[in-house]
Amino acid sequence: MSSEKADIALIGLAVMGQNLILNMNDHGFVVCAYNRTTEKVDKFLKNEAKGTKVIGAHSLEEMVAKLKKPRRVMMLVKAGQAVDDFIDKLVPLLESGDIIIDGGNSEYADSRRRCAALKEKEILFVGSGVSGGEEGARYGPSLMPGGAPEAWPHIKEIFQGIAAKVNEEPCCDWVGEDGAGHFVKMVHNGIEYGDMQLICEAYQLMKDALELSHDDMSEVLAEWNKGELDSFLIEITSNILKYKDTDGEPLITKIQDAAGQKGTGKWTAISALEYGIPVTLIGESVFARCLSSLKDERVEASKVLQGPSNATYQGDKKEFTENIRKALYASKIVSYAQGFMLLREAAKVFDWNLNYGGIALMWRGGCIIRSVFLGNIKTAFDKNPKLSNLLLDEFFRDAIQDCQESWRHVIATAVNLGIPTPAFSTALAFYDGFRSERLPANLIQAQRDYFGAHTYELLSEPGKFIHTNWTGHGGNVSSTTYNA
Ligand code: 2AM
């Protein structure tokens, strides 16, 4: 074995870890591989890593001794306790300025905690979102690193080297402080839930309202994939719809209609509620999966509960298909606007200096939500880095304006036909709420004051809280501390 020292160590030889190592090796970096079950190190060196410059270690001590300084140690192990256990074992072996990177699916709150705890020990912690699955890890993932900013210059070359590229630009940039990388990854996954739900609603409308064949739907999506909606998810959906089972039937029609979930969409929705940001489309997408998984109850209810008698669209099918495309596009714009609103609020709460255009670029390639559309978002933030809301960018404002009539027509039609479109509908409701100078919340304030003396402000006197004795009895004492 050569005495060459490794540029980086990677702990965790499941498929993602192995593929990232091979990707780093392809880009000229020497990687030292380690795994809790050390037989996997030998197996990896003898098989997948055979003939590469990858070296192995059978203990953490050996691994650390083989690293250049500052030492860079990346973990791709099961999220949770395993990460903390490795950190505890690594810290005594490392020195000031060394770097620990967690590339697993950790929760951002854990990354915040780890970053702060390691700072005390002068170790630089990075929590990085890694997206793109096994294929991405091997040939170019989207990487979203955040944590101790001093670590970035030392890992930039490796990270940007192995990341996916779009027009030669790497889909990896520094995200922000402490848990920002894992927060951005979480929002990415939430947006993925939204994108998938939107495509499902378009699918159901084409299938049930227009009664298109699966081959026709596949072609429609292939066509959409040539325009504004050009994206990985539209592309694979087109392929899925035309895929035939051995009997020649579309396989999709035989698949159980109960969606699973691992929880990242749910965590985005929970964060949205926690920070008070109306990320309604991701929320609806999580609930749509929940409703789908109540299969037995739905089967029972379908025998009892009635919908409208007419369930198919009577107008021009081609025209309505184009309306659906526009409804999908407008809803998607709202979803991303909501996602960036959540990022903006988290940046405020945690004092992160988020690079929004950079985030759009990181999602532009390599990951599940990759799309041409993310290039438009990058452009919007390049034009105005302080853009408060995507919907206010001229390009997106005009795009929604262009889609608006179709969007309303599709939702109205779906309502009349009894076809659920929770994501399309919530996007439009958000749009109409967001563009309202006045909402009926004055009545909520009056009701709260009526039953709980919570006080209200007058439009003419903002900042001054007043209580009215609405009934003439019950007293004039206002409540400021109690929240019903
Ligand atoms: P293993 O091969 O020894 O099981 C994905 O599961 C990766 O995380 C694997 O490399 C696995 O190591 C590692 N992993 C899972 N749980 C772990 C734990 N509690 N401690 C250390 N490594 C763990």
Side-chain angles (χ1 to χ4, degrees), residues 77-347:
V77 298
K78 196 161 172 252
Q81 196 55 46
V83 176
D84 286 313
D85 290 349
F86 269 121
I87 289 176
D88 289 344
K89 286 181 191 148
L90 281 167
V91 167
L93 307 176
L94 299 178
E95 52 193 50
S96 174
D98 285 347
I99 299 159
I100 297 179
I101 306 156
D102 172 19
N105 285 321
S106 297
E107 286 177 29
Y108 74 93
D110 285 336
S111 296
R112 298 194 67 229
R113 170 177 60 74
R114 289 167 186 149
C115 196
L118 285 171
K119 190 175 179 181
E120 301 269 301
K121 302 187 162 113
E122 296 182 14
I123 306 283
L124 306 176
F125 177 81
V126 175
S128 181
V130 177
S131 180
E134 297 169 9
E135 175 96 4
R138 181 67 187 84
Y139 300 108
S142 157
L143 296 172
M144 301 154 239
E150 305 91 315
W152 180 232
H154 300 290
I155 62 169
K156 184 175 173 178
E157 195 189 345
I158 301 179
F159 268 55
Q160 294 197 333
I162 65 167
K165 309 283 181 311
V166 173
N167 303 329
E168 281 159 43
E169 281 196 274
C171 297
C172 169
D173 203 348
W174 185 248
V175 175
E177 296 80 346
D178 62 74
H182 277 125
F183 193 90
V184 165
K185 172 64 175 20
M186 176 190 77
V187 174
H188 162 281
N189 287 22
I191 287 179
E192 179 183 315
Y193 272 56
D195 281 356
M196 291 166 74
Q197 176 63 25
L198 289 172
I199 297 173
C200 284
E201 291 177 18
Y203 162 61
Q204 191 177 5
L205 284 165
M206 288 190 280
K207 178 168 69 72
D208 296 344
L210 300 182
E211 298 182 307
L212 297 190
S213 72
H214 282 75
D215 281 338
D216 285 347
M217 288 189 277
S218 171
E219 272 193 22
V220 167
L221 265 70
E223 206 47 50
W224 290 359
N225 204 39
K226 293 178 189 157
E228 292 160 331
L229 290 176
D230 180 345
S231 62
F232 172 70
L233 282 169
I234 293 278
E235 179 192 331
I236 66 162
T237 307
S238 172
N239 293 339
I240 289 168
L241 292 174
K242 68 179 177 208
Y243 190 93
K244 303 293 184 301
D245 198 2
T246 42
D247 61 1
E249 289 298 308
L251 179 59
I252 184 74
T253 57
K254 301 181 180 180
I255 295 178
Q256 175 76 282
D257 52 325
Q261 45 182 319
K262 279 198 179 163
T264 37
K266 182 176 86 179
W267 285 112
T268 311
I270 289 172
S271 295
L273 287 171
E274 195 169 340
Y275 305 122
I277 302 299
V279 187
T280 62
L281 194 142
I282 295 174
E284 280 294 350
S285 303
V286 174
F287 286 134
R289 289 198 192 190
C290 299
L291 180 57
S292 80
S293 65
L294 302 177
K295 174 83 180 187
D296 294 343
E297 287 183 53
R298 288 193 287 114
V299 171
E300 281 313 305
S302 71
K303 296 173 190 153
V304 181
L305 304 177
Q306 306 232 319
S309 51
N310 182 13
T312 55
Y313 183 67
Q314 303 303 322
D316 185 298
K317 288 190 185 188
K318 214 171 164 106
E319 208 173 274
F320 196 68
T321 305
E322 175 60 6
N323 290 330
I324 296 172
R325 188 191 68 79
K326 287 187 168 180
L328 173 46
Y329 186 46
S331 304
K332 183 167 165 142
I333 294 172
V334 168
S335 180
Y336 282 66
Q338 292 180 341
F340 277 89
M341 286 169 75
L342 180 58
L343 292 177
R344 181 171 292 273
E345 183 62 20

Side-chain angles (χ1 to χ4, degrees), residues 12-14 35-37 40 76-78 82 86:
L13 296 181
N35 193 68
R36 173 182 61 172
T37 315
K40 285 195 190 165
L76 267 128
V77 298
K78 196 161 172 252
F86 269 121

Side-chain angles (χ1 to χ4, degrees), residues 7-49:
D7 296 300
I8 186 167
L10 198 141
I11 302 175
L13 296 181
V15 187
M16 287 294 283
Q18 291 192 9
N19 282 357
L20 276 181
I21 293 174
L22 296 173
N23 185 353
M24 288 175 184
N25 179 76
D26 284 351
H27 287 86
F29 302 105
V30 178
V31 189
C32 180
Y34 177 77
N35 193 68
R36 173 182 61 172
T37 315
T38 51
E39 294 81 62
K40 285 195 190 165
V41 176
D42 300 315
K43 225 176 122 216
F44 179 58
L45 293 178
K46 271 194 219 121
N47 296 288
E48 295 86 351

